Amino acid sequence: MPDNAYKLIPADFDPVPSLKTLADSSVTAVTTLSTELGAIGIGVSVSGEVPSALGLAREALEAQGFEAKVGQTLIVPQRSGTTLIAVGVGDVGGVAGSLTAANMRDIGAAFARAAHRSSRIGLDVVGATTLDSEDSGRLLTEGVLLARYRFNELKPSSKHVPLTALEILVPADEVERVSAGVRTGCVTARATCLARDLANTPPGYLTATDFGNIAEKLGPQHGLSVHVFDKEQIIAERLGGLLAVNAGSVEEPRMIQVRYTPDDATGHLALVGKGIMYDSGGISLKPSDPMHLLMKMDMAGAAAAFAAMTALKELGCTTRVTAFLMCTDNMPSGSASKLGDVFTVRNGMTVEIQNTDAEGRLVMSDALVLAAEEKPDAIVDIATLTGAALAALGTHTAPVLGNNQELVDQTKASSAATDESIWQLPLEHRYRKQLDTEVADISNLGGKFAGATTAALFLNEFVDGVPWAHLDIAGTMQVDADDLWRSQGATGFGARLLTDLALNFVPPATTKS
Ligand code: BES
Ligand code: MN
Ligand code: ZN
């Protein structure tokens, strides 16, 4: 962190506080819950016996509006000691009601929120459910840790109680398998919280330079080699898009290259992340509405890609993964790129800038060229690219587009496994002409409609036929209010999806679809 006294950055500011919080919290599978817990969650299904430990009949629960649906909880205060919480687990026995993985994560999250006053909590739901025990351990861990996340670093007045212990009650013969799931869940939750921290950090506190420093520090701790390119090296590498966006900023850009190289790799996946540390719009200045306030999170794609990289070694990933994170802010100034300016991408293509607020695709173009030069089996990019993605699918679901159906299908499978929802939009090539201009090879601005598609068509120009999928996370990067495992603020969307994708990656056939 540079010495920026004028920015009033506290000397002890920790840009990734979750790493410490999570390191301090222990998650264990136990056969008896310890006695000093603040709250214990007890699973209740919609029909059948109510566990006697709750000491209440179903009618009493229902009288309070508790129907035992997934996501429902009811606090049952006790005369003294540990609070009990009824935790709905849905229709476990019913044919239509078999619990999904997403349900199980939601159950953990709902309980963790209901127990927000307690730092040490225990959960007795595994016996009431039917899921595989390793999956249960992982899903409950993710749900609880992600729900208890909060970015508090700059709010000394916060009353938030950090989680220090989660005990998951299991039968003796399942301790080992649940524990294995817990270990996985701790890694994926930690990665997600890292992505959230990076996106939640104010823009003055996390510049491209800072991001590079953090990557250099954390990378080696997770078996990654990190190479940070400074402005001089970026010029030498001819990354014209990154430089064009950075032109108006007093902060230097950074291109962060991260490599995970397992022995006997089973494939090579390249990731590309949009790292706009703050998107003012540049000369095409954004209006001062609440949306503008979110633009410190315009690096959420780079954060998610980097975070996913930090999970690979511990989870035994056999895919080689190379990430390119394109970091700069997008600022107006006397030196900023102007409308009508033309720059040259690393591959020699020229781009006319018709709107400086369509900056994401400019920095991504160089990165996609760099990625394609490595001749990987596939490229997946992740970017807070267009307001059109938010308009089309809202804050729960991100558009995915690509040039290879096998690869897109793999991203969909990872989406389903992680409950980071995506939906495929067609890469409609008939809209490509919207990007034509008399002045250069391509314009960075499409027409009025299908903005997420024209942005993807722009990116498609730079992947050189390599199987490629694009995740537009402009809508899903943040939530306004707590919602199960999504905590208010940056969601870290993509960190778990990309981790799962790398873990299960199979090189797709290279025939285009
Ligand atoms: N970072 C924004 C997209 C965005 C919008 C992210 C809302 C998160 C929430 C991006 O750089 C942008 O400004 N896109 C423009 C593109 C347009 C000028 C073609 C947009 O979507 O309006
Ligand atoms: Mn923009
Ligand atoms: Zn942007």
Tab-separated table of all heavy atoms in Angstrom, residues 271-304:
chain	number	residue	atom	x	y	z
A	271	LEU	N	-7.985	-17.534	-18.420
A	271	LEU	CA	-9.028	-16.664	-17.871
A	271	LEU	C	-8.642	-15.219	-18.143
A	271	LEU	O	-7.463	-14.867	-18.082
A	271	LEU	CB	-9.161	-16.864	-16.350
A	271	LEU	CG	-9.514	-18.257	-15.846
A	271	LEU	CD1	-9.558	-18.257	-14.309
A	271	LEU	CD2	-10.852	-18.718	-16.415
A	272	VAL	N	-9.642	-14.403	-18.435
A	272	VAL	CA	-9.402	-12.980	-18.648
A	272	VAL	C	-10.383	-12.203	-17.774
A	272	VAL	O	-11.589	-12.504	-17.767
A	272	VAL	CB	-9.592	-12.607	-20.136
A	272	VAL	CG1	-9.615	-11.098	-20.326
A	272	VAL	CG2	-8.477	-13.221	-20.977
A	273	GLY	N	-9.876	-11.247	-17.009
A	273	GLY	CA	-10.733	-10.498	-16.096
A	273	GLY	C	-10.665	-9.001	-16.344
A	273	GLY	O	-9.582	-8.434	-16.502
A	274	LYS	N	-11.840	-8.360	-16.364
A	274	LYS	CA	-11.903	-6.901	-16.479
A	274	LYS	C	-11.598	-6.292	-15.122
A	274	LYS	O	-12.302	-6.551	-14.143
A	274	LYS	CB	-13.295	-6.457	-16.956
A	274	LYS	CG	-13.521	-4.931	-16.907
A	274	LYS	CD	-14.886	-4.510	-17.454
A	274	LYS	CE	-15.164	-3.024	-17.182
A	274	LYS	NZ	-16.472	-2.566	-17.707
A	275	GLY	N	-10.566	-5.460	-15.084
A	275	GLY	CA	-10.140	-4.864	-13.815
A	275	GLY	C	-10.177	-3.346	-13.853
A	275	GLY	O	-9.156	-2.686	-13.654
A	276	ILE	N	-11.369	-2.794	-14.135
A	276	ILE	CA	-11.484	-1.325	-14.090
A	276	ILE	C	-11.677	-0.934	-12.619
A	276	ILE	O	-12.732	-1.180	-12.039
A	276	ILE	CB	-12.635	-0.828	-14.979
A	276	ILE	CG1	-12.400	-1.238	-16.447
A	276	ILE	CG2	-12.760	0.705	-14.870
A	276	ILE	CD1	-11.148	-0.655	-17.103
A	277	MET	N	-10.639	-0.366	-12.045
A	277	MET	CA	-10.612	-0.118	-10.598
A	277	MET	C	-11.669	0.909	-10.203
A	277	MET	O	-12.161	0.909	-9.090
A	277	MET	CB	-9.215	0.353	-10.170
A	277	MET	CG	-8.063	-0.514	-10.673
A	277	MET	SD	-8.253	-2.289	-10.331
A	277	MET	CE	-8.163	-2.316	-8.562
A	278	TYR	N	-11.984	1.771	-11.151
A	278	TYR	CA	-13.082	2.715	-10.987
A	278	TYR	C	-13.475	3.190	-12.375
A	278	TYR	O	-12.616	3.618	-13.143
A	278	TYR	CB	-12.665	3.903	-10.108
A	278	TYR	CG	-13.785	4.912	-9.978
A	278	TYR	CD1	-14.917	4.590	-9.243
A	278	TYR	CD2	-13.740	6.138	-10.631
A	278	TYR	CE1	-15.974	5.470	-9.156
A	278	TYR	CE2	-14.793	7.027	-10.538
A	278	TYR	CZ	-15.907	6.686	-9.801
A	278	TYR	OH	-16.953	7.560	-9.717
A	279	ASP	N	-14.752	3.108	-12.687
A	279	ASP	CA	-15.222	3.487	-14.020
A	279	ASP	C	-16.054	4.761	-13.927
A	279	ASP	O	-17.242	4.721	-13.615
A	279	ASP	CB	-16.042	2.343	-14.627
A	279	ASP	CG	-16.536	2.678	-16.041
A	279	ASP	OD1	-16.084	3.702	-16.607
A	279	ASP	OD2	-17.357	1.891	-16.578
A	280	SER	N	-15.408	5.891	-14.199
A	280	SER	CA	-16.148	7.166	-14.190
A	280	SER	C	-16.876	7.379	-15.515
A	280	SER	O	-17.703	8.278	-15.637
A	280	SER	CB	-15.174	8.333	-13.975
A	280	SER	OG	-14.409	8.535	-15.160
A	281	GLY	N	-16.535	6.541	-16.506
A	281	GLY	CA	-17.040	6.745	-17.857
A	281	GLY	C	-16.025	7.464	-18.724
A	281	GLY	O	-16.119	7.438	-19.937
A	282	GLY	N	-15.063	8.125	-18.103
A	282	GLY	CA	-14.085	8.908	-18.875
A	282	GLY	C	-14.740	10.170	-19.407
A	282	GLY	O	-15.619	10.748	-18.759
A	283	ILE	N	-14.345	10.598	-20.589
A	283	ILE	CA	-14.919	11.813	-21.191
A	283	ILE	C	-16.437	11.644	-21.366
A	283	ILE	O	-17.199	12.592	-21.220
A	283	ILE	CB	-14.229	12.124	-22.540
A	283	ILE	CG1	-12.757	12.475	-22.313
A	283	ILE	CG2	-14.946	13.251	-23.291
A	283	ILE	CD1	-12.491	13.685	-21.438
A	284	SER	N	-16.883	10.417	-21.647
A	284	SER	CA	-18.332	10.123	-21.670
A	284	SER	C	-18.780	9.903	-20.220
A	284	SER	O	-19.237	8.820	-19.846
A	284	SER	CB	-18.614	8.872	-22.496
A	284	SER	OG	-17.957	8.913	-23.750
A	285	LEU	N	-18.634	10.938	-19.425
A	285	LEU	CA	-18.799	10.845	-17.961
A	285	LEU	C	-20.164	10.291	-17.568
A	285	LEU	O	-21.189	10.691	-18.120
A	285	LEU	CB	-18.612	12.244	-17.363
A	285	LEU	CG	-18.463	12.356	-15.854
A	285	LEU	CD1	-17.202	11.654	-15.380
A	285	LEU	CD2	-18.432	13.830	-15.449
A	286	LYS	N	-20.154	9.401	-16.589
A	286	LYS	CA	-21.421	8.861	-16.092
A	286	LYS	C	-22.151	9.911	-15.263
A	286	LYS	O	-21.523	10.754	-14.637
A	286	LYS	CB	-21.145	7.641	-15.201
A	286	LYS	CG	-20.699	6.398	-15.942
A	286	LYS	CD	-20.452	5.256	-14.965
A	286	LYS	CE	-19.901	4.024	-15.663
A	286	LYS	NZ	-20.850	3.394	-16.606
A	287	PRO	N	-23.477	9.846	-15.213
A	287	PRO	CA	-24.219	10.738	-14.329
A	287	PRO	C	-24.014	10.329	-12.867
A	287	PRO	O	-23.693	9.180	-12.587
A	287	PRO	CB	-25.680	10.527	-14.740
A	287	PRO	CG	-25.713	9.171	-15.354
A	287	PRO	CD	-24.361	8.932	-15.954
A	288	SER	N	-24.217	11.275	-11.935
A	288	SER	CA	-23.983	10.973	-10.515
A	288	SER	C	-25.186	10.282	-9.897
A	288	SER	O	-25.778	10.782	-8.955
A	288	SER	CB	-23.680	12.263	-9.755
A	288	SER	OG	-22.414	12.720	-10.098
A	289	ASP	N	-25.567	9.154	-10.440
A	289	ASP	CA	-26.662	8.405	-9.822
A	289	ASP	C	-26.076	7.250	-9.013
A	289	ASP	O	-24.871	7.029	-9.004
A	289	ASP	CB	-27.667	7.946	-10.887
A	289	ASP	CG	-27.033	7.008	-11.895
A	289	ASP	OD1	-25.939	6.496	-11.627
A	289	ASP	OD2	-27.638	6.798	-12.947
A	290	PRO	N	-26.921	6.532	-8.293
A	290	PRO	CA	-26.389	5.486	-7.408
A	290	PRO	C	-25.553	4.437	-8.148
A	290	PRO	O	-24.661	3.830	-7.574
A	290	PRO	CB	-27.661	4.851	-6.825
A	290	PRO	CG	-28.708	5.906	-6.928
A	290	PRO	CD	-28.373	6.701	-8.143
A	291	MET	N	-25.854	4.242	-9.433
A	291	MET	CA	-25.097	3.280	-10.218
A	291	MET	C	-23.616	3.663	-10.288
A	291	MET	O	-22.733	2.811	-10.267
A	291	MET	CB	-25.698	3.217	-11.630
A	291	MET	CG	-25.351	1.983	-12.392
A	291	MET	SD	-25.707	0.490	-11.484
A	291	MET	CE	-27.251	0.070	-12.205
A	292	HIS	N	-23.393	4.983	-10.370
A	292	HIS	CA	-22.013	5.467	-10.447
A	292	HIS	C	-21.222	5.057	-9.202
A	292	HIS	O	-20.042	4.730	-9.258
A	292	HIS	CB	-22.051	6.998	-10.586
A	292	HIS	CG	-20.782	7.589	-11.101
A	292	HIS	ND1	-20.733	8.802	-11.726
A	292	HIS	CD2	-19.516	7.137	-11.075
A	292	HIS	CE1	-19.481	9.071	-12.061
A	292	HIS	NE2	-18.731	8.073	-11.675
A	293	LEU	N	-21.920	5.055	-8.072
A	293	LEU	CA	-21.297	4.695	-6.798
A	293	LEU	C	-20.795	3.247	-6.802
A	293	LEU	O	-19.899	2.885	-6.049
A	293	LEU	CB	-22.340	4.893	-5.688
A	293	LEU	CG	-21.900	4.819	-4.242
A	293	LEU	CD1	-20.792	5.817	-3.946
A	293	LEU	CD2	-23.100	5.069	-3.336
A	294	LEU	N	-21.400	2.424	-7.670
A	294	LEU	CA	-21.007	1.011	-7.710
A	294	LEU	C	-19.756	0.775	-8.551
A	294	LEU	O	-19.253	-0.344	-8.614
A	294	LEU	CB	-22.147	0.167	-8.299
A	294	LEU	CG	-23.450	0.129	-7.504
A	294	LEU	CD1	-24.479	-0.712	-8.249
A	294	LEU	CD2	-23.194	-0.439	-6.122
A	295	MET	N	-19.280	1.819	-9.206
A	295	MET	CA	-18.241	1.583	-10.215
A	295	MET	C	-16.862	1.306	-9.632
A	295	MET	O	-15.919	1.034	-10.355
A	295	MET	CB	-18.205	2.724	-11.223
A	295	MET	CG	-19.399	2.669	-12.169
A	295	MET	SD	-19.509	1.068	-12.998
A	295	MET	CE	-21.252	0.767	-12.930
A	296	LYS	N	-16.756	1.356	-8.275
A	296	LYS	CA	-15.538	0.821	-7.656
A	296	LYS	C	-15.480	-0.696	-7.851
A	296	LYS	O	-14.438	-1.303	-7.673
A	296	LYS	CB	-15.506	1.164	-6.167
A	296	LYS	CG	-16.601	0.456	-5.363
A	296	LYS	CD	-16.476	0.680	-3.867
A	296	LYS	CE	-17.564	-0.095	-3.123
A	296	LYS	NZ	-17.515	0.137	-1.675
A	297	MET	N	-16.640	-1.290	-8.172
A	297	MET	CA	-16.694	-2.751	-8.351
A	297	MET	C	-16.492	-3.163	-9.798
A	297	MET	O	-16.733	-4.313	-10.158
A	297	MET	CB	-18.043	-3.295	-7.871
A	297	MET	CG	-18.299	-3.071	-6.416
A	297	MET	SD	-19.860	-3.837	-5.941
A	297	MET	CE	-20.036	-3.172	-4.287
A	298	ASP	N	-16.047	-2.231	-10.634
A	298	ASP	CA	-15.906	-2.558	-12.051
A	298	ASP	C	-14.686	-3.446	-12.312
A	298	ASP	O	-14.364	-3.745	-13.450
A	298	ASP	CB	-15.843	-1.265	-12.879
A	298	ASP	CG	-16.424	-1.429	-14.264
A	298	ASP	OD1	-17.168	-2.403	-14.482
A	298	ASP	OD2	-16.116	-0.594	-15.137
A	299	MET	N	-14.050	-3.837	-11.203
A	299	MET	CA	-12.934	-4.802	-11.299
A	299	MET	C	-13.367	-6.159	-10.741
A	299	MET	O	-12.522	-7.010	-10.427
A	299	MET	CB	-11.679	-4.294	-10.559
A	299	MET	CG	-11.919	-3.442	-9.338
A	299	MET	SD	-12.860	-4.290	-8.069
A	299	MET	CE	-11.600	-5.450	-7.538
A	300	ALA	N	-14.691	-6.357	-10.597
A	300	ALA	CA	-15.180	-7.596	-9.987
A	300	ALA	C	-14.824	-8.825	-10.833
A	300	ALA	O	-14.653	-9.926	-10.294
A	300	ALA	CB	-16.693	-7.515	-9.777
A	301	GLY	N	-14.709	-8.663	-12.135
A	301	GLY	CA	-14.323	-9.789	-12.994
A	301	GLY	C	-12.893	-10.227	-12.711
A	301	GLY	O	-12.616	-11.417	-12.513
A	302	ALA	N	-11.988	-9.244	-12.665
A	302	ALA	CA	-10.588	-9.562	-12.361
A	302	ALA	C	-10.471	-10.151	-10.962
A	302	ALA	O	-9.702	-11.092	-10.727
A	302	ALA	CB	-9.724	-8.299	-12.486
A	303	ALA	N	-11.257	-9.615	-10.032
A	303	ALA	CA	-11.220	-10.115	-8.653
A	303	ALA	C	-11.674	-11.570	-8.594
A	303	ALA	O	-11.057	-12.403	-7.924
A	303	ALA	CB	-12.102	-9.247	-7.754
A	304	ALA	N	-12.754	-11.897	-9.324
A	304	ALA	CA	-13.272	-13.268	-9.311
A	304	ALA	C	-12.275	-14.230	-9.965
A	304	ALA	O	-12.067	-15.348	-9.472
A	304	ALA	CB	-14.619	-13.329	-10.034
